[in-house]
């Protein structure tokens, strides 16, 4: 599938890859392409770093808020957009609070959940809670949001996988025997909190409370009790999101660079994806050294350059400068050749010799819409203009 058609047809696009390869930059660039194609897109970053705002040249981006880049703003920066582009950064606490607001209709019960200290811990990015919140947010935006395309920018590889595995993990936990054994009587009676506390003289609780304090156990018990009615909803949404992610409406974009260690991580990620029956829609090799333009035939360029430099320096210096430039040109050609060989190896090693989209290394870092537009044109307009 070409990147252009991925942007033109998909509903969810998850951008994944090793650290620092350009995931966030590309997610923003793909957002611009969606706006150019006239598709209403939201780029949602689940990485707590401010890189998405930085790539777009925004001073701030408050986590949890949606920021709109109007069609005019994009046009003024040289992007031939037909629609606005929206961006947002996940706020774990806000997502989980919104989730409770949606799921719990009884205001008193809702209040008790939100005020429970254990809920507070969940919102403080307890291990896995960010990935879980991301999963819920994506599901909610996909089903209820008014976007044609949701582009998800993930944190580096392993955390990216955490996010992908969040639905499965929820299902594992909910379907796990010991969990059922522990929870079912409580779920049936709705009295887990009471039961745990009734055991408070027991060995397990006595031992646990030494470490955590009895108040923590009380909070946890009350929390599980309050949460028990929500578990079926978690299960259903986890199943639903897992199937949405495996349909044709969703694609994964594996980003890498020609660097062999990055390619290795990319292959690893690819294997993990296929184990979950999630094939990447495309593999993108970013920051590929472009082949320098060929020098005109000698002696023309040498004569022209010598002529241009002669006014500034003596013959010896001219000779040295011309030689240095020739060497620099040769080095750039060698680096470009090396990247091409590395890319060929990457293609060979991917299953079915997957298509690898090349994105050139620009000569400067990307910190505004103009820079992103340069990258977009380099990726998308080649066959189009
Ligand atoms: N094609 C490119 N040409 C030039 N610079 C690029 C290109 N792509 C990305 N960069 C630069 O590389 C740096 C890293 O990019 P980015 O933050 O998008 O990577 P990332 O994969 O999201 O990183 P992390 O894993 O930390 O989230 C940035 O400074 C960005 O400007
Ligand atoms: Mg990033």
């Amino acid at each position: 599938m070409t990147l252009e058609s991925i942007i033109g047809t998909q509903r969810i696009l998850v951008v994944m890859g090793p650290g620092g390869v350009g995931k966030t930059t590309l997610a923003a660039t793909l957002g611009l392409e969606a706006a150019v194609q006239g598709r209403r897109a939201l780029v949602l970053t689940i990485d707590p770093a401010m890189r998405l705002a930085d790539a777009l040249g925004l001073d701030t981006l408050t986590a949890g808020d949606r920021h709109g880049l109007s069609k005019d703003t994009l046009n003024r920066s040289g992007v031939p957009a037909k629609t606005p582009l929206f961006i947002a950064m996940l706020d774990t606490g806000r997502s989980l609070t919104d989730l409770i607001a949606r799921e719990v209709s009884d205001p008193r019960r809702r209040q008790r959940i939100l005020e429970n200290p254990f809920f507070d811990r969940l919102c403080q990015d307890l291990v896995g809670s960010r990935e879980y919140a991301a999963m819920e947010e994506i599901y909610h935006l996909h089903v209820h949001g008014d976007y044609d395309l949701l582009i998800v920018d993930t944190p580096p590889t392993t955390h990216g996988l955490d996010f992908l595995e969040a639905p499965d993990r929820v299902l594992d936990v909910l379907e796990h025997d010991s969990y059922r054994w522990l929870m079912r009587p409580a779920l049936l009676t709705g009295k887990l909190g009471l039961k745990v506390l009734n055991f408070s003289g027991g060995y397990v609780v006595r031992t646990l409370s030494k470490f955590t304090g009895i108040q923590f156990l009380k909070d946890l018990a009350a929390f599980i009790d309050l949460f028990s009615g929500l578990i079926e909803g978690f299960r259903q949404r986890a199943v639903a999101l897992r199937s949405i992610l495996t349909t044709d409406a969703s694609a994964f974009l594996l980003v890498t660079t020609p660097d062999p260690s990055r390619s290795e991580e990319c292959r690893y990620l690819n294997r993990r994806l296929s184990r979950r029956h999630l094939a990447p829609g495309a593999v993108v090799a970013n920051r590929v050294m472009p082949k320098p333009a060929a020098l005109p035939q000698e002696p023309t360029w040498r004569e022209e350059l010598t002529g241009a430099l002669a006014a500034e320096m003596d013959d010896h210096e001219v000779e040295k400068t011309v030689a240095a430039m020739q060497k620099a040109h040769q080095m750039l050609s060698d680096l470009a050749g090396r990247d091409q060989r590395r890319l060929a190896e990457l293609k060979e090693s991917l299953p079915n010799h997957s298509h690898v989209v090349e994105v050139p290394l620009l000569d400067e870092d990307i910190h505004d819409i103009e820079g992103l537009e340069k990258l977009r044109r380099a990726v998308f307009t080649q066959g189009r203009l």
Side-chain angles (χ1 to χ4, degrees):
M1 217 173 179
T2 63
L3 264 187
E4 198 171 337
S5 65
I6 287 177
I7 298 300
T9 59
Q10 302 300 111
R11 296 284 321 282
I12 299 180
L13 176 60
V14 182
V15 182
M16 311 186 87
V21 291
K23 296 177 293 298
T24 306
T25 310
L26 282 169
T29 306
L30 298 175
L32 291 187
E33 171 64 17
V36 169
Q37 290 192 23
R39 295 194 86 204
R40 202 178 147 85
L42 172 74
V43 181
L44 171 71
T45 184
I46 59 179
D47 191 340
M50 285 301 283
R51 173 64 194 142
L52 181 61
D54 173 55
L56 287 153
L58 301 173
D59 292 335
T60 53
L61 175 62
T62 310
D65 284 351
R66 186 180 83 164
H67 188 96
L69 295 164
S70 70
K71 184 171 159 296
D72 277 354
T73 305
L74 294 172
N75 292 165
R76 272 200 305 274
S77 300
V79 185
K82 298 195 194 88
T83 45
L85 171 65
F86 298 91
I87 61 168
M89 184 169 155
L90 182 80
D91 178 329
T92 310
R94 173 97 71 97
S95 286
L96 294 179
T97 307
D98 290 350
L99 172 70
I100 298 300
R102 291 196 295 270
E103 293 297 307
V104 183
S105 49
D106 173 12
R108 282 211 339 258
R109 186 156 160 248
R110 191 189 309 151
Q111 195 63 19
R112 282 173 60 208
I113 293 182
L114 298 180
E115 284 171 359
N116 185 295
F118 198 78
F119 181 73
D120 202 39
R121 287 192 180 207
L122 269 183
C123 294
Q124 304 296 320
D125 282 351
L126 205 75
V127 180
S129 55
R130 187 168 187 82
E131 284 71 26
Y132 182 74
M135 183 195 97
E136 288 281 1
E137 194 69 42
I138 291 166
Y139 177 78
H140 181 70
L141 288 167
H142 177 72
V143 176
H144 302 284
D146 55 348
Y147 304 104
D148 301 319
L149 171 65
L150 188 59
I151 300 174
V152 183
D153 167 42
T154 67
T157 308
T158 45
H159 298 296
L161 280 169
D162 283 352
F163 143 74
L164 255 194
E165 289 169 358
D168 285 351
R169 209 169 297 149
V170 171
L171 290 177
D172 279 355
V173 172
L174 297 181
E175 281 158 10
H176 198 270
D177 278 349
S178 61
Y179 177 85
R180 243 184 275 157
W181 174 81
L182 196 73
M183 294 292 282
R184 187 166 268 170
L187 295 185
L188 289 178
T189 60
K191 294 269 182 346
L192 181 72
L194 225 72
K195 282 195 175 215
V196 171
L197 292 181
N198 282 346
F199 286 140
S200 61
Y203 174 74
V204 177
V205 172
R206 264 205 321 274
T207 315
L208 268 178
S209 61
K210 263 191 219 151
F211 295 105
T212 58
I214 194 74
Q215 189 55 45
F216 174 79
L217 288 183
K218 278 187 185 170
D219 291 339
L220 178 60
F223 184 69
I224 293 175
D225 194 14
L226 286 164
F227 241 65
S228 56
L230 302 176
I231 284 175
E232 186 50 25
F234 292 153
R235 206 186 68 78
Q236 284 173 4
R237 286 189 301 278
V239 170
L241 184 65
R242 189 164 66 177
S243 73
I244 291 167
L245 291 177
T246 49
T247 61
D248 290 346
S250 307
F252 293 85
L253 202 70
L254 274 186
V255 184
T256 184
T257 66
D259 183 307
S261 67
R262 294 286 180 260
S263 301
E264 184 49 48
E265 282 185 69
C266 170
R267 278 190 286 272
Y268 164 76
L269 195 48
N270 193 36
R271 285 196 295 275
R272 294 276 300 261
L273 278 180
S274 47
R275 239 178 271 149
R276 298 190 167 265
H277 310 289
L278 302 168
V283 174
V284 175
N286 188 25
R287 303 215 298 249
V288 178
M289 177 67 94
K291 210 166 171 286
L295 288 174
Q297 286 298 305
E298 283 209 62
T300 332
W301 71 269
R302 183 181 281 272
E303 275 165 15
E304 271 176 21
L305 193 59
T306 310
L309 294 174
E312 314 271 334
M313 42 184 89
D314 64 32
D315 284 358
H316 179 63
E317 275 176 330
V318 167
E319 196 52 41
K320 258 174 51 188
T321 311
V322 169
M325 290 181 77
Q326 205 167 7
K327 198 166 166 201
H329 185 268
Q330 186 57 46
M331 267 169 62
L332 288 178
S333 302
D334 291 349
L335 286 174
R338 189 194 62 181
D339 275 4
Q340 286 306 316
R341 283 192 301 282
R342 287 175 165 179
L343 285 183
E345 281 166 23
L346 173 67
K347 284 178 202 172
E348 275 295 304
S349 66
L350 289 170
N352 309 325
H353 303 257
S354 310
H355 178 56
V356 176
V357 181
E358 285 179 41
V359 177
L361 172 75
L362 298 190
D363 46 19
E364 55 200 28
D365 262 6
I366 300 158
H367 291 293
D368 52 20
I369 301 176
E370 284 83 357
L372 290 171
E373 174 60 9
K374 253 196 217 166
L375 197 61
R376 187 193 72 80
R377 282 174 193 261
V379 179
F380 288 100
T381 54
Q382 282 149 0
R384 214 195 271 164
L385 287 180

